[in-house]
Amino acid sequence: MGRDIDHLHHVGHVVGDMKEGLELYRRLGFRLSPPAYPMLSPREGEPPRPFGAANTHANFRRNFVELVSCVRDDDPGGIPSDAKLVPIQAPPEHLPRLTEAIRSTVAKIAACLARFQGLHILVFKTPDADAAAGRLSAEGIRHGGVSAVRRPVDTAQGPRVEALRFIELDSDAPEDAGAGRAPEGRLAIAENPPAELLEAQLHMDHPNGAVDLVDAVLCVDRAALPEVERRYATYLGRAARAEGPARVFDLDGARVTLVADADLEALLPGERAPALPAFVAYTVAVRDASAARQLLEGNGFPLRASTSGDLFVPAAAALGAAIVFRQAEGVKAG
């Protein structure tokens, strides 16, 4: 198998209320970019209005954590005061198709929230999307081919727009079992913009000292674990190793952890999966774990220790996602 997946690109935390999500993440010590709200005219000649899905990022040098929410027509006051309103321009003849595509995205996010509020998106990072797509095809994994979107990036020199190339991964389940979407959520592989652009991003000086996204935990039914492990081995182009009751896929300085539901508490004491399968936690590396603890305790968060000794905020206190803080390797805590 090839090794064209080298790290985690991002995880996506889907929340019902963007204001509540922003308040949580800022109390957690993350510095977020202003949330972006697309603006679209529902019909030709009408003024644009917020429509679709809003998102913001906690940026690191090689990846990020995404916060996602739907725009709610029944709550026009729910848009944060610092929101970035982004008009979407489209010729009139393209408007119906674009509107339908955005509605489809909203329906997917709404379906996520109907399952539970929490983690529903995992995207892997590759240096070469074309090579990754070719390998996946050869391995018989269904995917949407290499696509591109334009992603705005705020830098010290001003906003820039860069092309983001990515591959949407499909489940290999039968059509009547929900093919086209892995049962645990949205899975994709993406290329990063050039390193110099990522290093110039704003909003990376997080008060909690976070510098990298280094782990994502997927909880599954015990009987399904062998098949899920096989699927992820194909996605990632490598085999898992055993670590206690978990199965771990090592990447370049990051990992993906699979665990059976009955064993989740052995990793994260007190945690329960909200559904099966489900992404239940992610881990960020921090410059100083002691300083992160002090900030979190000062902001009133209940804290627990994982069995590996990391600090984590329980999902019940973090809108459905357990958030783990790990001392960064090679960085001496103060």
Side-chain angles (χ1 to χ4, degrees):
M1 290 185 179
R3 293 296 181 93
D4 43 55
I5 307 298
D6 61 3
H7 205 64
L8 298 176
H9 189 272
H10 73 275
V11 293
H13 189 167
V14 179
V15 297
D17 185 300
M18 179 59 79
K19 283 185 175 179
E20 185 180 19
L22 287 170
E23 194 273 338
L24 167 76
Y25 269 73
R26 287 166 179 160
R27 286 178 55 228
L28 286 165
F30 291 103
R31 196 180 304 280
L32 296 108
S33 54
Y37 278 73
M39 300 273 287
L40 186 67
S41 299
R43 283 171 288 277
E44 185 179 0
E46 293 189 9
R49 59 178 176 82
F51 180 68
N55 75 338
T56 181
H57 298 160
N59 291 319
F60 312 120
R61 280 186 170 80
R62 56 180 174 176
N63 50 30
F64 59 89
V65 174
E66 181 182 27
L67 193 61
V68 186
S69 188
C70 292
V71 176
R72 293 171 51 187
D73 292 335
D74 63 344
D75 185 21
I79 298 177
S81 60
D82 64 341
K84 182 190 301 180
L85 303 179
V86 184
I88 298 175
Q89 305 294 333
E93 63 272 19
H94 294 165
L95 192 58
R97 181 180 298 178
L98 178 59
T99 301
E100 184 55 36
I102 294 174
R103 283 179 175 151
S104 175
T105 298
V106 171
K108 291 176 182 177
I109 295 172
C112 290
L113 287 170
R115 285 190 77 208
F116 61 89
Q117 180 172 237
L119 299 175
H120 291 276
I121 300 167
L122 176 59
V123 181
F124 309 112
K125 185 164 77 72
T126 179
D128 188 338
D130 295 308
R135 177 180 62 81
L136 291 168
S137 295
E139 294 285 347
I141 294 293
R142 292 171 47 183
H143 60 84
V146 179
S147 303
V149 295
R150 296 176 66 80
R151 174 191 167 195
V153 180
D154 291 329
T155 73
Q157 292 74 41
R160 288 178 53 178
V161 177
E162 290 290 325
L164 173 66
R165 303 179 76 236
F166 66 98
I167 306 160
E168 294 284 353
L169 293 175
D170 286 352
S171 164
D172 57 357
E175 290 291 339
D176 60 0
R181 180 178 177 82
E184 59 268 28
R186 180 197 172 211
L187 295 172
I189 299 170
E191 290 182 353
N192 260 346
E196 60 270 19
L197 175 61
L198 294 177
E199 291 173 1
Q201 292 179 115
L202 299 178
H203 315 297
M204 290 198 298
D205 184 18
H206 301 285
N208 61 20
V211 294
D212 200 6
L213 170 68
V214 296
D215 195 2
V217 180
L218 172 59
C219 187
V220 303
D221 182 86
R222 185 181 296 281
L225 185 58
E227 174 56 26
V228 175
E229 180 180 342
R230 182 205 64 78
R231 181 157 54 91
Y232 274 73
T234 308
Y235 291 156
L236 299 173
R238 68 200 71 200
R241 62 177 174 83
E243 185 175 283
R247 305 295 296 175
V248 174
F249 291 94
D250 290 310
L251 304 174
D252 179 16
R255 51 193 267 170
V256 176
T257 301
L258 307 184
V259 64
D261 55 327
D263 297 321
L264 177 59
E265 188 161 356
L267 271 65
L268 299 171
E271 291 299 296
R272 298 287 186 274
L276 292 176
F279 298 115
V280 294
Y282 69 83
T283 301
V284 292
V286 296
R287 287 188 294 268
D288 188 331
S290 296
R293 172 188 286 275
Q294 185 175 3
L295 180 147
L296 293 165
E297 288 178 337
N299 287 340
F301 285 103
L303 300 177
R304 297 179 186 157
S306 72
T307 53
S308 60
D310 297 323
L311 180 75
F312 75 94
V313 175
L319 299 179
I323 303 175
V324 185
F325 297 83
R326 177 175 299 161
Q327 177 65 46
E329 294 184 5
V331 179
K332 186 177 180 180

